[in-house]
Amino acid sequence: MTNSINLIAFGTFGNPNGFKQTFFVGSKELAKSVKTFDLNTNAIKLFANSKVYAIRKEYANGFNTIAYSVYSYAREQNSDRSGTFIGSSILYTNKIAKEHITIAQLNEFHNQLVNKNVSNDTISVNHSDKFSVVKPKDFDKIEFHLREIENLNFRQNSDNYLVVFCNINDNNLNQFFEKSIDLLNVYDTIYFTDNQEIAEFAHQKGIFKLIQNVGEKREFEIEISNLIEERKRKREQSISEFEREVQRISEDKIQTIQEFKNQIEQSERIHLENERKLKESKEDVNKIGQFYDDFLNKTKNLINQLRHNNGKLEEVKQIHNSNKILFNNGISDLKRPNYTTTIAKPKPKGNLHTEHQRQDFEHRGGHKRREERDELELNDFKIDIYKVATLVLAFLLIITWVYFLFFKSNSVNETEVIQNKEQVNPILQEEEQKPDEITKIEDLNPKSNSILNENDFRIVAKNLKPNMKLEDVVKVIFTNNPTEISSVYFDQEAIYSKHLLELNKQCFEEKEGIYYFAKDTLRQIPSYKK
């Protein structure tokens, strides 16, 4: 972005032209986009023999601009309208010159403009393009005295304007312009005048703020002091916020590390317990096999006794019933291997939150831990049910087998009993497999505790297209929701897809095992609020 120095003349010309301004030196591109230098005569107005200086900022067509202007009272041709004027301006882009240089060049240009184009207090032309102008003799040397503009936000407009009633000799004006750069963060344009009528008019209208800087009244200095105090207050406020943030981060660090340690210790205890149980179960395998073999051998011996008429039927039944009681009591003492509890890998939060968000997070965290304890107890209860069901089915198998062995012995041989046993075994296997066949979607870590609000899910809807694959839909959701979804579930896209599909089945169609987005708006989009 280049620097440029623009020389502008303007005025009011009555019908049909009204206000017009012309860039006599400078950028034609900028001339098309910069605001006019016209005055709001409902707020400030020139009177006979009066003059107003002004400084303003503007962001125009990619340029940071500051303009220094001067207005002199002048009548229009064939008009008695009040508040008319002729004016000059030096407009800088990106850099400015020292104020005393700008004032000298501006006054020289404006004095020549008035001398050549005003006669008997009346503008002698009907358009600014027809002005007769003379470029100040040292105007081209200004570029050697440019400096950077600091601490000024050009893109922020306040729509505030300030009128300063003061002595506007060159020395005072130099100081006012120099201090006004800071004040342009508060006011878009600042006007300076020593004319009592202009000050009274501005005060009466009350549209622009009026202050006095004459005699004992030094309100301009007060404005500067107020600006400095406001900056100091904002700086102190920011320091306090940073210090609180540091305190929160330090607390989060301690809490996160402790949570990691606690979870690691819990994981170690669970794994040690699983290791002990698995070791016991491995040792029990041989015992279980021997226990079944002993019972089967005893039963086969009883069968041989009956087949060879070496024992009485009632005595054999009594012996077998005793063997069954011993078998049932013994089998109930043997433990099946427990399911190994899945242990989630600890994951740091990795984000900062305000005090309100922190309190809400802690509340939800406590609720989540209670839910996890309840779920763990429910899983243990389910495992116990499966163990009992397995034992009951095994017991029913034995009763069925004994029934065919003893009460059908006259018509069923040993081969048929074995066949019946083989027919029953598949049923037992099927029953034992049912718990494993139940499809359960793996939980997200952490569990989703919310869904996107209407505003957020409509943003997602705007980015979805028909026939978009489920995995692409998830990418859109993650991209548009970095805080509540992407930062929490960034490595769990596959699990997240299953939950999204489960909550919004009506929005997807399956084709050859692949789910595609088909219709409706996704309204149940899982998220996690801290």
Side-chain angles (χ1 to χ4, degrees), residues 29 95 99 114 152 164 257 272 290 317 351 397 453 461:
E29 180 182 357
K95 293 183 179 182
E99 282 72 15
V114 172
L152 183 55
V164 184
I257 290 175
L272 288 173
Q290 187 62 47
K317 286 183 178 181
N351 58 345
L397 173 63
N453 59 38

Side-chain angles (χ1 to χ4, degrees), residues 170-281:
D170 289 354
N171 184 54
N172 287 344
L173 197 59
N174 177 70
Q175 297 180 35
F176 288 140
F177 276 161
E178 184 176 357
K179 294 178 180 179
S180 292
I181 299 298
D182 268 352
L183 277 181
L184 289 177
N185 284 304
V186 181
Y187 303 98
D188 293 339
T189 304
I190 303 174
Y191 299 97
F192 301 90
T193 185
D194 58 0
N195 185 273
Q196 184 75 33
E197 287 183 282
I198 294 176
E200 290 177 355
F201 181 85
H203 176 70
Q204 179 184 0
K205 293 298 182 178
I207 298 174
F208 293 170
K209 181 178 179 179
L210 173 70
I211 62 174
Q212 298 185 48
N213 210 79
V214 293
E216 296 181 357
K217 290 188 176 182
R218 297 293 172 182
E219 295 176 345
F220 186 80
E221 280 74 12
I222 293 175
E223 285 284 329
I224 299 295
S225 297
N226 291 341
L227 177 64
I228 294 173
E229 287 299 318
E230 177 64 15
R231 283 181 176 171
K232 182 179 178 181
R233 185 191 66 79
K234 289 182 178 180
R235 181 180 295 272
E236 293 298 326
Q237 181 181 1
S238 296
I239 291 173
S240 297
E241 290 175 355
F242 290 151
E243 289 176 342
R244 288 195 297 271
E245 191 68 53
V246 168
Q247 180 66 25
R248 286 197 297 271
I249 295 171
S250 300
E251 292 173 357
D252 283 345
K253 172 189 173 183
I254 295 172
Q255 180 181 349
T256 301
I257 290 175
Q258 188 58 47
E259 287 176 354
F260 262 58
K261 289 181 178 179
N262 292 342
Q263 195 165 358
I264 290 171
E265 290 174 0
Q266 180 186 4
S267 299
E268 288 175 343
R269 288 195 299 271
I270 293 174
H271 279 302
L272 288 173
E273 180 65 17
N274 283 333
E275 186 177 356
R276 184 186 64 79
K277 291 178 180 179
L278 289 172
K279 184 177 180 181
E280 291 178 356
S281 297

Side-chain angles (χ1 to χ4, degrees), residues 457-470 472-477 480 500 507-508 517 519-522 525:
F457 73 63
R458 291 197 182 279
I459 292 175
V460 171
K462 291 180 181 179
N463 292 277
L464 297 182
K465 299 178 180 179
N467 296 321
M468 181 180 285
K469 291 183 179 180
L470 175 58
D472 294 328
V473 173
V474 171
K475 290 179 181 177
V476 171
I477 294 172
N480 286 275
L500 181 69
C507 298
F508 293 91
F517 177 71
K519 58 182 179 180
D520 296 336
T521 300
L522 293 175
I525 301 179

